[in-house]
PDB file of all heavy atoms in Angstrom:
ATOM      1  N   ARG A  13     -45.187  24.135  83.336  1.00 58.00           N
ATOM      2  CA  ARG A  13     -45.789  24.866  84.482  1.00 58.00           C
ATOM      3  C   ARG A  13     -45.780  26.337  84.163  1.00 58.00           C
ATOM      4  O   ARG A  13     -44.758  27.032  84.091  1.00 58.00           O
ATOM      5  CB  ARG A  13     -44.965  24.564  85.742  1.00 58.00           C
ATOM      6  CG  ARG A  13     -45.181  23.117  86.195  1.00 58.00           C
ATOM      7  CD  ARG A  13     -44.417  22.741  87.437  1.00 58.00           C
ATOM      8  NE  ARG A  13     -44.576  23.718  88.507  1.00 58.00           N
ATOM      9  CZ  ARG A  13     -43.780  23.747  89.553  1.00 58.00           C
ATOM     10  NH1 ARG A  13     -42.793  22.902  89.655  1.00 58.00           N
ATOM     11  NH2 ARG A  13     -43.991  24.585  90.552  1.00 58.00           N
ATOM     12  N   PRO A  14     -47.008  26.918  83.993  1.00 61.00           N
ATOM     13  CA  PRO A  14     -47.107  28.347  83.566  1.00 61.00           C
ATOM     14  C   PRO A  14     -46.452  29.309  84.521  1.00 61.00           C
ATOM     15  O   PRO A  14     -45.845  30.294  84.103  1.00 61.00           O
ATOM     16  CB  PRO A  14     -48.606  28.579  83.496  1.00 61.00           C
ATOM     17  CG  PRO A  14     -49.230  27.213  83.590  1.00 61.00           C
ATOM     18  CD  PRO A  14     -48.242  26.241  84.148  1.00 61.00           C
ATOM     19  N   GLU A  15     -46.496  29.063  85.836  1.00 63.00           N
ATOM     20  CA  GLU A  15     -45.920  30.001  86.755  1.00 63.00           C
ATOM     21  C   GLU A  15     -44.405  30.097  86.596  1.00 63.00           C
ATOM     22  O   GLU A  15     -43.772  31.122  86.774  1.00 63.00           O
ATOM     23  CB  GLU A  15     -46.309  29.697  88.212  1.00 63.00           C
ATOM     24  CG  GLU A  15     -45.669  28.412  88.801  1.00 63.00           C
ATOM     25  CD  GLU A  15     -46.395  27.132  88.502  1.00 63.00           C
ATOM     26  OE1 GLU A  15     -47.338  27.076  87.668  1.00 63.00           O
ATOM     27  OE2 GLU A  15     -46.090  26.097  89.126  1.00 63.00           O
ATOM     28  N   LEU A  16     -43.802  28.951  86.318  1.00 56.00           N
ATOM     29  CA  LEU A  16     -42.311  28.966  86.059  1.00 56.00           C
ATOM     30  C   LEU A  16     -41.998  29.673  84.785  1.00 56.00           C
ATOM     31  O   LEU A  16     -41.039  30.440  84.700  1.00 56.00           O
ATOM     32  CB  LEU A  16     -41.780  27.523  86.103  1.00 56.00           C
ATOM     33  CG  LEU A  16     -41.743  26.827  87.429  1.00 56.00           C
ATOM     34  CD1 LEU A  16     -41.277  25.418  87.297  1.00 56.00           C
ATOM     35  CD2 LEU A  16     -40.825  27.552  88.393  1.00 56.00           C
ATOM     36  N   LEU A  17     -42.791  29.423  83.702  1.00 57.00           N
ATOM     37  CA  LEU A  17     -42.535  30.081  82.442  1.00 57.00           C
ATOM     38  C   LEU A  17     -42.694  31.628  82.589  1.00 57.00           C
ATOM     39  O   LEU A  17     -41.847  32.372  82.100  1.00 57.00           O
ATOM     40  CB  LEU A  17     -43.548  29.612  81.404  1.00 57.00           C
ATOM     41  CG  LEU A  17     -43.263  28.246  80.770  1.00 57.00           C
ATOM     42  CD1 LEU A  17     -44.416  27.851  79.845  1.00 57.00           C
ATOM     43  CD2 LEU A  17     -41.943  28.227  80.020  1.00 57.00           C
ATOM     44  N   GLN A  18     -43.730  32.063  83.341  1.00 63.00           N
ATOM     45  CA  GLN A  18     -43.914  33.456  83.539  1.00 63.00           C
ATOM     46  C   GLN A  18     -42.802  34.101  84.357  1.00 63.00           C
ATOM     47  O   GLN A  18     -42.299  35.168  84.057  1.00 63.00           O
ATOM     48  CB  GLN A  18     -45.234  33.757  84.209  1.00 63.00           C
ATOM     49  CG  GLN A  18     -46.471  33.517  83.324  1.00 63.00           C
ATOM     50  CD  GLN A  18     -47.786  33.644  84.103  1.00 63.00           C
ATOM     51  OE1 GLN A  18     -47.780  33.777  85.315  1.00 63.00           O
ATOM     52  NE2 GLN A  18     -48.874  33.638  83.365  1.00 63.00           N
ATOM     53  N   ALA A  19     -42.326  33.380  85.385  1.00 61.00           N
ATOM     54  CA  ALA A  19     -41.287  33.868  86.170  1.00 61.00           C
ATOM     55  C   ALA A  19     -39.967  34.034  85.421  1.00 61.00           C
ATOM     56  O   ALA A  19     -39.227  35.008  85.513  1.00 61.00           O
ATOM     57  CB  ALA A  19     -41.047  32.952  87.435  1.00 61.00           C
ATOM     58  N   ILE A  20     -39.677  33.058  84.540  1.00 59.00           N
ATOM     59  CA  ILE A  20     -38.471  33.110  83.759  1.00 59.00           C
ATOM     60  C   ILE A  20     -38.585  34.231  82.717  1.00 59.00           C
ATOM     61  O   ILE A  20     -37.626  35.016  82.499  1.00 59.00           O
ATOM     62  CB  ILE A  20     -38.164  31.728  83.089  1.00 59.00           C
ATOM     63  CG1 ILE A  20     -37.664  30.788  84.132  1.00 59.00           C
ATOM     64  CG2 ILE A  20     -37.122  31.889  81.975  1.00 59.00           C
ATOM     65  CD1 ILE A  20     -37.372  29.415  83.663  1.00 59.00           C
ATOM     66  N   ALA A  21     -39.740  34.331  82.104  1.00 60.00           N
ATOM     67  CA  ALA A  21     -39.922  35.382  81.079  1.00 60.00           C
ATOM     68  C   ALA A  21     -39.802  36.789  81.660  1.00 60.00           C
ATOM     69  O   ALA A  21     -39.441  37.726  80.990  1.00 60.00           O
ATOM     70  CB  ALA A  21     -41.284  35.191  80.397  1.00 60.00           C
ATOM     71  N   SER A  22     -40.141  36.955  82.969  1.00 63.00           N
ATOM     72  CA  SER A  22     -40.095  38.281  83.566  1.00 63.00           C
ATOM     73  C   SER A  22     -38.679  38.596  84.076  1.00 63.00           C
ATOM     74  O   SER A  22     -38.458  39.724  84.548  1.00 63.00           O
ATOM     75  CB  SER A  22     -41.028  38.318  84.778  1.00 63.00           C
ATOM     76  OG  SER A  22     -40.644  37.476  85.823  1.00 63.00           O
ATOM     77  N   LEU A  23     -37.715  37.663  84.049  1.00 60.00           N
ATOM     78  CA  LEU A  23     -36.365  37.941  84.496  1.00 60.00           C
ATOM     79  C   LEU A  23     -35.704  38.976  83.579  1.00 60.00           C
ATOM     80  O   LEU A  23     -35.895  38.906  82.344  1.00 60.00           O
ATOM     81  CB  LEU A  23     -35.451  36.731  84.510  1.00 60.00           C
ATOM     82  CG  LEU A  23     -35.807  35.720  85.606  1.00 60.00           C
ATOM     83  CD1 LEU A  23     -34.974  34.449  85.429  1.00 60.00           C
ATOM     84  CD2 LEU A  23     -35.471  36.315  86.999  1.00 60.00           C
ATOM     85  N   PRO A  24     -34.914  39.917  84.138  1.00 59.00           N
ATOM     86  CA  PRO A  24     -34.241  40.884  83.253  1.00 59.00           C
ATOM     87  C   PRO A  24     -33.236  40.146  82.352  1.00 59.00           C
ATOM     88  O   PRO A  24     -32.531  39.252  82.779  1.00 59.00           O
ATOM     89  CB  PRO A  24     -33.538  41.804  84.216  1.00 59.00           C
ATOM     90  CG  PRO A  24     -33.856  41.375  85.590  1.00 59.00           C
ATOM     91  CD  PRO A  24     -34.665  40.099  85.534  1.00 59.00           C
ATOM     92  N   GLY A  25     -33.203  40.526  81.138  1.00 57.00           N
ATOM     93  CA  GLY A  25     -32.233  39.973  80.144  1.00 57.00           C
ATOM     94  C   GLY A  25     -32.668  38.710  79.495  1.00 57.00           C
ATOM     95  O   GLY A  25     -32.000  38.128  78.645  1.00 57.00           O
ATOM     96  N   VAL A  26     -33.863  38.153  79.845  1.00 53.00           N
ATOM     97  CA  VAL A  26     -34.377  36.933  79.222  1.00 53.00           C
ATOM     98  C   VAL A  26     -35.257  37.332  78.061  1.00 53.00           C
ATOM     99  O   VAL A  26     -36.184  38.105  78.219  1.00 53.00           O
ATOM    100  CB  VAL A  26     -35.183  36.052  80.218  1.00 53.00           C
ATOM    101  CG1 VAL A  26     -35.802  34.889  79.547  1.00 53.00           C
ATOM    102  CG2 VAL A  26     -34.306  35.602  81.369  1.00 53.00           C
ATOM    103  N   PRO A  27     -34.983  36.861  76.881  1.00 53.00           N
ATOM    104  CA  PRO A  27     -35.753  37.195  75.699  1.00 53.00           C
ATOM    105  C   PRO A  27     -37.181  36.753  75.875  1.00 53.00           C
ATOM    106  O   PRO A  27     -37.473  35.772  76.525  1.00 53.00           O
ATOM    107  CB  PRO A  27     -35.083  36.486  74.535  1.00 53.00           C
ATOM    108  CG  PRO A  27     -33.940  35.745  75.050  1.00 53.00           C
ATOM    109  CD  PRO A  27     -33.900  35.969  76.562  1.00 53.00           C
ATOM    110  N   GLU A  28     -38.108  37.505  75.305  1.00 53.00           N
ATOM    111  CA  GLU A  28     -39.518  37.129  75.395  1.00 53.00           C
ATOM    112  C   GLU A  28     -39.829  35.753  74.785  1.00 53.00           C
ATOM    113  O   GLU A  28     -40.722  35.039  75.199  1.00 53.00           O
ATOM    114  CB  GLU A  28     -40.371  38.161  74.724  1.00 53.00           C
ATOM    115  CG  GLU A  28     -40.435  39.432  75.500  1.00 53.00           C
ATOM    116  CD  GLU A  28     -41.455  40.404  74.812  1.00 53.00           C
ATOM    117  OE1 GLU A  28     -42.309  39.992  74.094  1.00 53.00           O
ATOM    118  OE2 GLU A  28     -41.293  41.608  75.073  1.00 53.00           O
ATOM    119  N   ALA A  29     -38.993  35.360  73.870  1.00 52.00           N
ATOM    120  CA  ALA A  29     -39.269  34.031  73.173  1.00 52.00           C
ATOM    121  C   ALA A  29     -39.183  32.905  74.140  1.00 52.00           C
ATOM    122  O   ALA A  29     -39.787  31.836  73.887  1.00 52.00           O
ATOM    123  CB  ALA A  29     -38.244  33.885  72.089  1.00 52.00           C
ATOM    124  N   VAL A  30     -38.514  33.059  75.291  1.00 48.00           N
ATOM    125  CA  VAL A  30     -38.320  31.928  76.218  1.00 48.00           C
ATOM    126  C   VAL A  30     -39.696  31.513  76.764  1.00 48.00           C
ATOM    127  O   VAL A  30     -40.010  30.354  76.951  1.00 48.00           O
ATOM    128  CB  VAL A  30     -37.431  32.276  77.429  1.00 48.00           C
ATOM    129  CG1 VAL A  30     -37.452  31.268  78.513  1.00 48.00           C
ATOM    130  CG2 VAL A  30     -35.989  32.397  76.902  1.00 48.00           C
ATOM    131  N   GLY A  31     -40.579  32.494  77.043  1.00 50.00           N
ATOM    132  CA  GLY A  31     -41.917  32.101  77.532  1.00 50.00           C
ATOM    133  C   GLY A  31     -42.926  31.804  76.476  1.00 50.00           C
ATOM    134  O   GLY A  31     -44.029  31.434  76.832  1.00 50.00           O
ATOM    135  N   SER A  32     -42.596  31.926  75.252  1.00 53.00           N
ATOM    136  CA  SER A  32     -43.537  31.667  74.186  1.00 53.00           C
ATOM    137  C   SER A  32     -43.803  30.204  73.971  1.00 53.00           C
ATOM    138  O   SER A  32     -42.953  29.379  74.271  1.00 53.00           O
ATOM    139  CB  SER A  32     -43.044  32.291  72.886  1.00 53.00           C
ATOM    140  OG  SER A  32     -41.975  31.563  72.389  1.00 53.00           O
ATOM    141  N   PRO A  33     -44.952  29.847  73.467  1.00 54.00           N
ATOM    142  CA  PRO A  33     -45.334  28.475  73.201  1.00 54.00           C
ATOM    143  C   PRO A  33     -44.355  27.737  72.272  1.00 54.00           C
ATOM    144  O   PRO A  33     -44.008  26.600  72.462  1.00 54.00           O
ATOM    145  CB  PRO A  33     -46.721  28.507  72.576  1.00 54.00           C
ATOM    146  CG  PRO A  33     -47.299  29.829  73.021  1.00 54.00           C
ATOM    147  CD  PRO A  33     -46.078  30.718  73.188  1.00 54.00           C
ATOM    148  N   SER A  34     -43.819  28.480  71.267  1.00 54.00           N
ATOM    149  CA  SER A  34     -42.897  27.756  70.312  1.00 54.00           C
ATOM    150  C   SER A  34     -41.634  27.391  71.040  1.00 54.00           C
ATOM    151  O   SER A  34     -41.092  26.364  70.787  1.00 54.00           O
ATOM    152  CB  SER A  34     -42.603  28.673  69.150  1.00 54.00           C
ATOM    153  OG  SER A  34     -41.943  29.864  69.578  1.00 54.00           O
ATOM    154  N   TRP A  35     -41.147  28.202  71.988  1.00 49.00           N
ATOM    155  CA  TRP A  35     -39.957  27.817  72.713  1.00 49.00           C
ATOM    156  C   TRP A  35     -40.185  26.637  73.597  1.00 49.00           C
ATOM    157  O   TRP A  35     -39.439  25.666  73.648  1.00 49.00           O
ATOM    158  CB  TRP A  35     -39.480  29.023  73.620  1.00 49.00           C
ATOM    159  CG  TRP A  35     -38.193  28.751  74.365  1.00 49.00           C
ATOM    160  CD1 TRP A  35     -36.977  28.849  73.828  1.00 49.00           C
ATOM    161  CD2 TRP A  35     -38.064  28.331  75.692  1.00 49.00           C
ATOM    162  NE1 TRP A  35     -36.008  28.484  74.822  1.00 49.00           N
ATOM    163  CE2 TRP A  35     -36.697  28.167  75.953  1.00 49.00           C
ATOM    164  CE3 TRP A  35     -38.956  28.062  76.719  1.00 49.00           C
ATOM    165  CZ2 TRP A  35     -36.213  27.742  77.186  1.00 49.00           C
ATOM    166  CZ3 TRP A  35     -38.461  27.627  77.936  1.00 49.00           C
ATOM    167  CH2 TRP A  35     -37.109  27.491  78.155  1.00 49.00           C
ATOM    168  N   THR A  36     -41.331  26.623  74.272  1.00 50.00           N
ATOM    169  CA  THR A  36     -41.734  25.487  75.133  1.00 50.00           C
ATOM    170  C   THR A  36     -41.886  24.215  74.339  1.00 50.00           C
ATOM    171  O   THR A  36     -41.461  23.154  74.682  1.00 50.00           O
ATOM    172  CB  THR A  36     -43.026  25.776  75.858  1.00 50.00           C
ATOM    173  OG1 THR A  36     -42.915  26.990  76.578  1.00 50.00           O
ATOM    174  CG2 THR A  36     -43.445  24.631  76.808  1.00 50.00           C
ATOM    175  N   ASP A  37     -42.510  24.306  73.175  1.00 53.00           N
ATOM    176  CA  ASP A  37     -42.681  23.160  72.278  1.00 53.00           C
ATOM    177  C   ASP A  37     -41.384  22.571  71.856  1.00 53.00           C
ATOM    178  O   ASP A  37     -41.176  21.365  71.775  1.00 53.00           O
ATOM    179  CB  ASP A  37     -43.537  23.532  71.018  1.00 53.00           C
ATOM    180  CG  ASP A  37     -44.976  23.809  71.392  1.00 53.00           C
ATOM    181  OD1 ASP A  37     -45.381  23.424  72.511  1.00 53.00           O
ATOM    182  OD2 ASP A  37     -45.684  24.386  70.547  1.00 53.00           O
ATOM    183  N   GLN A  38     -40.407  23.413  71.556  1.00 54.00           N
ATOM    184  CA  GLN A  38     -39.082  22.962  71.154  1.00 54.00           C
ATOM    185  C   GLN A  38     -38.410  22.174  72.282  1.00 54.00           C
ATOM    186  O   GLN A  38     -37.666  21.200  72.005  1.00 54.00           O
ATOM    187  CB  GLN A  38     -38.212  24.086  70.669  1.00 54.00           C
ATOM    188  CG  GLN A  38     -38.648  24.679  69.320  1.00 54.00           C
ATOM    189  CD  GLN A  38     -37.828  25.893  68.964  1.00 54.00           C
ATOM    190  OE1 GLN A  38     -37.003  26.389  69.756  1.00 54.00           O
ATOM    191  NE2 GLN A  38     -38.136  26.467  67.807  1.00 54.00           N
ATOM    192  N   ARG A  39     -38.580  22.613  73.531  1.00 56.00           N
ATOM    193  CA  ARG A  39     -37.937  21.976  74.631  1.00 56.00           C
ATOM    194  C   ARG A  39     -38.582  20.588  74.915  1.00 56.00           C
ATOM    195  O   ARG A  39     -37.938  19.727  75.373  1.00 56.00           O
ATOM    196  CB  ARG A  39     -38.064  22.853  75.897  1.00 56.00           C
ATOM    197  CG  ARG A  39     -37.276  24.060  75.957  1.00 56.00           C
ATOM    198  CD  ARG A  39     -36.073  23.940  76.767  1.00 56.00           C
ATOM    199  NE  ARG A  39     -36.277  23.058  77.907  1.00 56.00           N
ATOM    200  CZ  ARG A  39     -35.483  23.078  79.001  1.00 56.00           C
ATOM    201  NH1 ARG A  39     -34.570  23.953  79.102  1.00 56.00           N
ATOM    202  NH2 ARG A  39     -35.703  22.218  79.924  1.00 56.00           N
ATOM    203  N   ASN A  40     -39.903  20.440  74.549  1.00 60.00           N
ATOM    204  CA  ASN A  40     -40.619  19.204  74.899  1.00 60.00           C
ATOM    205  C   ASN A  40     -40.668  18.199  73.745  1.00 60.00           C
ATOM    206  O   ASN A  40     -41.062  17.101  73.910  1.00 60.00           O
ATOM    207  CB  ASN A  40     -42.053  19.540  75.264  1.00 60.00           C
ATOM    208  CG  ASN A  40     -42.154  20.079  76.669  1.00 60.00           C
ATOM    209  OD1 ASN A  40     -41.351  19.807  77.503  1.00 60.00           O
ATOM    210  ND2 ASN A  40     -43.112  20.909  76.894  1.00 60.00           N
ATOM    211  N   THR A  41     -40.338  18.623  72.580  1.00 66.00           N
ATOM    212  CA  THR A  41     -40.446  17.808  71.406  1.00 66.00           C
ATOM    213  C   THR A  41     -39.279  16.878  71.195  1.00 66.00           C
ATOM    214  O   THR A  41     -38.150  17.336  71.193  1.00 66.00           O
ATOM    215  CB  THR A  41     -40.695  18.649  70.109  1.00 66.00           C
ATOM    216  OG1 THR A  41     -41.831  19.447  70.333  1.00 66.00           O
ATOM    217  CG2 THR A  41     -40.979  17.770  68.909  1.00 66.00           C
ATOM    218  N   GLU A  42     -39.602  15.601  71.048  1.00 71.00           N
ATOM    219  CA  GLU A  42     -38.587  14.599  70.647  1.00 71.00           C
ATOM    220  C   GLU A  42     -38.577  14.502  69.205  1.00 71.00           C
ATOM    221  O   GLU A  42     -39.582  14.732  68.515  1.00 71.00           O
ATOM    222  CB  GLU A  42     -38.825  13.263  71.297  1.00 71.00           C
ATOM    223  CG  GLU A  42     -38.480  13.163  72.746  1.00 71.00           C
ATOM    224  CD  GLU A  42     -38.577  11.697  73.160  1.00 71.00           C
ATOM    225  OE1 GLU A  42     -39.747  11.282  73.422  1.00 71.00           O
ATOM    226  OE2 GLU A  42     -37.619  11.021  73.251  1.00 71.00           O
ATOM    227  N   ASP A  43     -37.457  14.105  68.661  1.00 73.00           N
ATOM    228  CA  ASP A  43     -37.398  13.769  67.235  1.00 73.00           C
ATOM    229  C   ASP A  43     -38.243  12.542  66.986  1.00 73.00           C
ATOM    230  O   ASP A  43     -38.252  11.609  67.799  1.00 73.00           O
ATOM    231  CB  ASP A  43     -35.982  13.586  66.831  1.00 73.00           C
ATOM    232  CG  ASP A  43     -35.745  13.420  65.355  1.00 73.00           C
ATOM    233  OD1 ASP A  43     -36.331  12.437  64.784  1.00 73.00           O
ATOM    234  OD2 ASP A  43     -35.055  14.253  64.825  1.00 73.00           O
ATOM    235  N   VAL A  44     -38.974  12.520  65.897  1.00 80.00           N
ATOM    236  CA  VAL A  44     -39.834  11.364  65.526  1.00 80.00           C
ATOM    237  C   VAL A  44     -39.036  10.081  65.468  1.00 80.00           C
ATOM    238  O   VAL A  44     -39.399   9.022  65.923  1.00 80.00           O
ATOM    239  CB  VAL A  44     -40.513  11.583  64.158  1.00 80.00           C
ATOM    240  CG1 VAL A  44     -41.228  10.375  63.664  1.00 80.00           C
ATOM    241  CG2 VAL A  44     -41.433  12.771  64.263  1.00 80.00           C
ATOM    242  N   ILE A  45     -37.765  10.188  64.966  1.00 79.00           N
ATOM    243  CA  ILE A  45     -36.891   9.049  64.867  1.00 79.00           C
ATOM    244  C   ILE A  45     -36.591   8.454  66.263  1.00 79.00           C
ATOM    245  O   ILE A  45     -36.505   7.232  66.418  1.00 79.00           O
ATOM    246  CB  ILE A  45     -35.617   9.383  64.117  1.00 79.00           C
ATOM    247  CG1 ILE A  45     -35.871   9.899  62.715  1.00 79.00           C
ATOM    248  CG2 ILE A  45     -34.614   8.231  64.123  1.00 79.00           C
ATOM    249  CD1 ILE A  45     -36.672   8.903  61.855  1.00 79.00           C
ATOM    250  N   ASP A  46     -36.476   9.304  67.268  1.00 76.00           N
ATOM    251  CA  ASP A  46     -36.190   8.817  68.629  1.00 76.00           C
ATOM    252  C   ASP A  46     -37.368   7.920  69.071  1.00 76.00           C
ATOM    253  O   ASP A  46     -37.127   6.845  69.631  1.00 76.00           O
ATOM    254  CB  ASP A  46     -36.056   9.958  69.587  1.00 76.00           C
ATOM    255  CG  ASP A  46     -34.827  10.834  69.366  1.00 76.00           C
ATOM    256  OD1 ASP A  46     -33.851  10.304  68.827  1.00 76.00           O
ATOM    257  OD2 ASP A  46     -34.873  11.995  69.703  1.00 76.00           O
ATOM    258  N   VAL A  47     -38.586   8.383  68.903  1.00 76.00           N
ATOM    259  CA  VAL A  47     -39.730   7.635  69.289  1.00 76.00           C
ATOM    260  C   VAL A  47     -39.839   6.305  68.506  1.00 76.00           C
ATOM    261  O   VAL A  47     -40.030   5.222  69.065  1.00 76.00           O
ATOM    262  CB  VAL A  47     -41.058   8.444  69.204  1.00 76.00           C
ATOM    263  CG1 VAL A  47     -42.254   7.613  69.531  1.00 76.00           C
ATOM    264  CG2 VAL A  47     -40.957   9.694  70.003  1.00 76.00           C
TER     265      VAL A  47
END
């Protein structure tokens, strides 16, 4: 949800990487072995 990503990225003290696509991809990606 982009609005949640933007809100979290705008919080003081939250690194910019949290809102980046690579951070989101890491949170959503399962290991191939799991699948």
